[in-house]
Amino acid sequence: MPLAARLLLAFGLVAIIATAFVGLTLREASREIIESGFADRIAAAHAGVRQQLVWEAEALRDLLPPLCQHDTFVDKAHVELERGKGDPDAMDPGSRIALRRQVPSQAKALRLDELSLVASNGSVLAAEDASRIGARDPRLAELIKAPGGAPRLRPAKAGGEPSLEVHCALSRHGVTIGLVGARRIGPVLARIGDAYHVRLTATTEGRPAPRSGEAEVVRVLDFTEIPGLDVVASVSREPLKQALARLDRAIALTGATVLAIALGIAVVLARSLSRPIAALARETREVMSGAPRRVEGRGGREIADLAAAFNATIDELAAMRKRLAATERIAARREVARQIAHEIKNPLAPIRAAVETLRRLRQREDPAFDDYFEEATSTVLNEVHRIANIVTEFTRFARLPAPHLEPVDLVAVARGVVTLHAAPAGEATGGGGTGGAATARVELAADPIPRVSADRDQMIQVLTNLVQNGLDAAGAIRRDPRVSVTIGPLPNDRVRIVVRDNGPGVAEDMVPRLFEPYATSKETGTGLGLAIAQRIVFEHGGEISYRKAQKGGAVFEVWLPVGGPPLLEKPPGETTVRPRGPEAP
């Protein structure tokens, strides 16, 4: 994966993970804060309701007793009821009509939601609600008989909604009359709930307490000051949902912005980092292809250090190659000297024998001297000619020039060699092992390949040697010698040349010495052809190998780099400024 793609992926992942982590943390913290706000509002509403109800209870406790003790309309009502011997129906109609006007006015003055004037049998003599007048309520009859005091809770099932109820009574001469007043709790709960944005509802006895859900937060509030009173406080979760939705949108927008910024920074960093690396890689490839110059690191201390290390490595490799080349030349010269000594030693023996025989015949003045002289001198001349050929071939091998590199079309080169060696149909190329004429056939199969940096003449020499060897080996045993040349591309900017024949192949004992100078199984020849081919291929930075074909015959494979030899022939000169060291300003 390219450096730019890795940086984009890394910065993108960091931005996404960081945004997700911060967003989720912030979202959870916001939820907890809002939830705690709900609890605080409910607690504040609880305290407010308690304070208001306590105040209401204190106010109601002392509100009615003065009326029963000193108010005239209560006294008049008691007198009328006493005159009727406790029977409300025996009361004067005019007095009853007056009471009906006075009780509502008194309820309004006292800010009571309900006010009833009640006889001892529970009959309502007057009330703020005219529909209740004349009704008989046993609960009220029992209530006015009880001593007055602190207000008590009147449950909703006792009539209407839950209320704080207080009463007083006037009893004289066996006749009792009482006032029962009530103030509803609902308005108090509504007023406090509106102040704290909490919905407060007095519960009905016997109903199960509600529970919190996804829609709202619910708490049941109890008040020890007013026994039996339970209030349900509920807060809608809709504001929480809306706040979280806005927060989610903000987090998504922030994440997208952070991701865009991170990707922008990654692109800038990728360009700033990859550009000097790509430039260094390009210069390195040029150096490896043979351009004798030093690479220069740009873009940072690390790149400069890398370039300096590469330059030092190239210098060392070039020096090592020179030392290795010198060592190889010395070894080659020793090998050549050994081979020359070996090859020259063989013809020296018959020369020496011929000369010694002539000397002996001459000393004895043998009549056979003249007859043997022609044979001896002919032998000497032939062996001297053989020595001269050996010296010439080794001289040619030793003086093989360095390759002159240029872009070469190997397919065109191979096509020329194949055309040169392919005999027309029916033309004889030599005597086969089975008798008669042998018809040679040389074929070429090539895939598209790039031009190769090589020496054209030396490539022709290598292909010619391999093709001719194949024809010679196959023609020695077959009437139809055939050589095929195949050219195609290889990975890592390389090309391959395969030369295959249908001959007998190389003998097993010759394979280890196949590329040694003067190693040959032919009756004629010096055995330098494959040695020269190997040297040319090596100097081009390639490889050459032999393997036996599955169906018989020899297969030679040559691998060549497209860019030419990978190492410099000489260390690069001091033409490029070295990267600055740590002490440079």
Side-chain angles (χ1 to χ4, degrees):
M1 183 182 296
L3 176 62
R6 290 201 298 270
L7 283 177
L8 287 174
L9 181 61
F11 274 72
L13 288 177
V14 169
I16 292 173
I17 293 173
T19 302
F21 177 76
V22 174
L24 291 176
T25 303
L26 181 61
R27 193 178 193 276
E28 189 61 27
S30 300
R31 175 188 287 275
E32 293 178 358
I33 291 173
I34 296 175
E35 291 278 4
S36 64
F38 291 162
D40 293 341
R41 285 159 55 186
I42 292 175
H46 189 188
V49 171
R50 173 180 283 109
Q51 182 179 4
Q52 187 66 27
L53 290 180
V54 169
W55 182 86
E56 293 284 351
E58 291 291 336
L60 287 175
R61 184 179 58 183
D62 300 328
L63 192 62
L64 293 184
L67 295 180
C68 291
Q69 295 174 8
H70 308 294
D71 199 276
T72 56
F73 84 91
V74 177
D75 289 339
K76 289 180 180 180
H78 185 272
V79 170
E80 287 294 329
L81 190 59
E82 185 179 356
R83 187 179 296 130
K85 298 184 187 224
D87 184 7
D89 294 333
M91 294 179 63
D92 180 54
S95 298
R96 297 185 68 173
I97 291 174
L99 291 173
R100 290 178 182 180
R101 290 198 302 268
Q102 290 175 345
V103 169
S105 299
Q106 195 67 39
K108 185 176 182 180
L110 298 175
R111 294 187 302 106
L112 292 174
D113 296 315
E114 297 178 13
L115 182 61
S116 303
L117 183 62
V118 182
S120 59
N121 62 354
S123 295
V124 179
L125 302 178
E128 91 294 342
D129 184 5
S131 64
R132 296 175 54 231
I133 298 174
R136 180 174 293 183
D137 189 345
R139 189 185 69 84
L140 296 180
E142 293 295 330
L143 183 62
I144 62 175
K145 293 178 182 179
R152 66 189 65 187
L153 176 67
R154 187 187 72 185
K157 67 179 182 179
E161 57 185 277
S163 305
L164 289 177
E165 193 175 56
V166 67
H167 72 280
C168 66
L170 176 60
S171 297
R172 284 199 302 254
H173 308 292
V175 176
T176 301
I177 193 172
L179 280 173
V180 179
R183 191 170 287 170
R184 292 193 295 272
I185 296 176
V188 176
L189 299 180
R191 185 170 63 255
I192 302 298
D194 290 342
Y196 293 101
H197 303 288
V198 179
R199 186 161 59 90
L200 301 172
T201 307
T203 60
T204 303
E205 293 183 5
R207 291 185 59 183
R211 297 182 178 179
S212 297
E214 291 294 328
E216 58 183 4
V217 179
V218 179
R219 298 288 187 274
V220 178
L221 312 178
D222 61 325
F223 299 89
T224 57
E225 298 84 357
I226 303 175
L229 176 61
D230 288 330
V231 176
V232 175
S234 59
V235 180
S236 175
R237 290 184 182 270
E238 189 61 29
L240 172 62
K241 295 178 181 179
Q242 294 176 357
L244 292 180
R246 290 195 300 271
L247 183 60
D248 290 341
R249 290 193 294 270
I251 292 173
L253 180 60
T254 303
T257 304
V258 171
L259 180 60
I261 294 174
L263 293 180
I265 294 174
V267 170
V268 173
L269 285 178
R271 288 180 178 177
S272 63
L273 291 176
S274 61
R275 189 174 299 165
I277 294 176
L280 181 61
R282 184 177 63 255
E283 293 183 11
T284 302
R285 285 193 295 270
E286 293 175 357
V287 170
M288 296 301 290
S289 64
R293 64 186 182 84
R294 186 180 300 276
V295 300
E296 183 176 357
R298 306 179 184 88
R301 186 183 301 275
E302 293 79 6
I303 302 297
D305 292 342
L306 177 60
F310 178 81
N311 290 332
T313 303
I314 287 296
D315 292 345
E316 183 63 24
L317 286 176
M320 289 178 61
R321 177 161 183 170
K322 290 185 65 177
R323 293 194 296 269
L324 180 61
T327 303
E328 288 179 347
R329 283 195 296 272
I330 293 173
R333 289 167 183 167
R334 290 177 178 175
E335 180 63 21
V336 168
R338 185 184 68 82
Q339 293 287 351
I340 291 176
H342 174 74
E343 295 301 326
I344 292 179
K345 184 177 180 180
N346 292 333
L348 287 179
I351 292 175
R352 180 178 181 179
V355 172
E356 290 178 348
T357 302
L358 286 176
R359 287 173 60 88
R360 287 195 302 270
L361 293 176
R362 179 66 176 170
Q363 290 175 356
R364 297 197 304 262
E365 296 182 358
D366 193 323
F369 176 82
D370 293 334
D371 296 334
Y372 183 70
F373 181 81
E374 184 65 28
E375 178 182 353
T377 54
S378 177
T379 299
V380 170
L381 289 176
N382 288 337
E383 295 301 325
V384 168
H385 180 69
R386 181 181 171 190
I387 292 174
N389 287 337
I390 293 173
V391 173
T392 300
E393 290 296 330
F394 273 109
T395 301
R396 186 164 64 91
F397 174 70
R399 292 180 179 178
L400 186 66
H404 176 67
L405 302 179
E406 60 180 350
V408 174
D409 185 354
L410 281 184
V411 176
V413 170
R415 186 177 294 113
V417 174
V418 167
T419 302
L420 181 65
H421 289 80
E427 183 179 337
T429 62
T434 58
T439 301
R441 186 172 65 178
V442 183
E443 301 170 340
L444 172 64
D447 294 330
I449 60 171
R451 287 181 174 268
V452 179
S453 180
D455 187 310
R456 180 184 182 87
D457 294 337
Q458 292 187 3
M459 289 295 102
I460 292 176
Q461 186 176 358
V462 170
L463 287 173
T464 300
N465 184 279
L466 295 178
V467 171
Q468 188 60 54
N469 283 351
L471 289 175
D472 292 344
I477 63 170
R478 304 179 68 97
R479 291 178 53 83
D480 57 341
R482 185 172 70 254
V483 175
S484 64
V485 180
T486 305
I487 300 178
L490 285 177
N492 301 324
D493 293 330
R494 296 184 302 164
V495 297
R496 179 175 62 180
I497 305 173
V498 180
V499 179
R500 181 183 288 104
D501 62 58
N502 61 347
V506 179
E508 292 296 332
D509 59 339
M510 278 294 299
V511 172
R513 301 186 298 115
L514 189 59
F515 295 101
E516 292 182 3
Y518 217 80
T520 180
S521 59
K522 297 181 181 179
E523 296 181 358
T524 60
T526 60
L528 291 174
L530 288 179
I532 294 175
Q534 184 189 51
R535 178 173 172 180
I536 291 174
V537 171
F538 282 1
E539 289 185 347
H540 279 74
E543 298 179 17
I544 184 171
S545 65
Y546 162 80
R547 60 181 171 86
K548 190 176 182 64
Q550 294 181 352
K551 296 182 179 180
V555 179
F556 287 88
E557 293 190 11
V558 177
W559 296 272
L560 294 173
V562 173
L567 290 178
L568 297 174
E569 293 296 330
K570 60 180 179 179
E574 299 291 338
T575 58
T576 305
V577 180
R578 285 182 179 269
R580 292 179 176 178
E583 71 284 357

